Amino acid sequence: MPAFYKVHFRPKRKIPIETHVIGAAALRRLLRLIRARLAGTHECPVCRRRYRFEAFGDPPRPKARCPGCGAVERHRLLWLYLSRELFAESKRAYRILHCAPEPCLSQQLRSLPGVQYVSMDLSANNVSVKADITALAFRDNSFDLVICNHVFEHIPDDRAAMRELFRVCKVDGIALLSVPYDAALDHTYEDWSITTPEGRRKAFGQYDHVRTYSPGDYVRRVSDAGWTVTQLRYTDRFSEEEVSRFALPLDCQKTIFRCDRRRV
């Protein structure tokens, strides 16, 4: 039988006291958020609140996850690029395709004025469209901006996915197609004989990954699909104080792959 607690909120204004019954798990999360908020050693640019960030990942990375919105290092970096650079330099009314949408980013993108936001995933329920990224039903030249963050390493036919995103992106459109990679590799590591979650975790670092990209080979694959690729080591544009305050990535995740539909 789960434990339940009555939590009383007594506001300063003279209004009736509200009583809410919440479960023990919800209470523990509420208390953890309060403690993290009071510690306030980090700032999340996504939800714009100060927290003490939590360890997250396998193996756990310290100061990785915002307990408020769930943003991890790469989400915070990507949102800084979107809000400070991409959306700031252009006032266009974007039509956005967000593949395998991260909830923390999805919430922010949906709230932007003038934006037409379409979320897409093969299996998730809380998306606009359920679709296979290698065979999309959208018309050619449909989107101004495509966001596909840490997806291709899960897709057996990643080249088909890259071509499909190129097809549905407008001629003057942009895609942000970041992936994890190993800078020590000269060639992307793939082994199709490895099919078990345990084997994939050992070989590729995560149970549902099917490859580990080398940076050079990844750029070649995306370029072969038609994109013009720019590697932005975006963390390097911030001061040491900002990198610490936002807890930005210092490994391969500090690279944002900006892909333009037209030649630049």
Side-chain angles (χ1 to χ4, degrees), residues 5 11 20 38 43 63 74 79 85 96 109 125-126 130 148 189 193 229 231-232 258-259:
Y5 301 85
H20 299 273
L38 290 174
E43 180 181 338
K63 301 180 292 185
R74 68 176 184 269
W79 182 249
E85 306 268 349
I96 299 174
L109 292 167
N125 292 319
N126 57 338
K130 281 192 174 184
C148 186
Y189 174 46
S193 68
V229 184
Q231 298 182 63
L232 304 172
R258 170 174 168 154
C259 305

Side-chain angles (χ1 to χ4, degrees), residues 32-75:
R32 189 176 79 249
L33 279 174
I34 291 172
R35 287 195 297 269
R37 187 74 183 273
L38 290 174
T41 53
H42 301 105
E43 180 181 338
C44 180
V46 181
C47 64
R48 298 182 295 276
R49 295 188 178 94
R50 296 188 68 90
Y51 289 105
R52 181 181 61 213
F53 290 166
E54 305 170 326
F56 185 79
D58 182 17
R61 305 183 306 278
K63 301 180 292 185
R65 183 177 182 272
C66 170
C69 67
V72 297
E73 305 98 324
R74 68 176 184 269
H75 303 150

Side-chain angles (χ1 to χ4, degrees), residues 1 10 74 192 204 212 244 246:
M1 178 71 69
R10 189 183 297 274
R74 68 176 184 269
W192 299 110
F204 310 122
T212 300
S244 175
F246 297 135

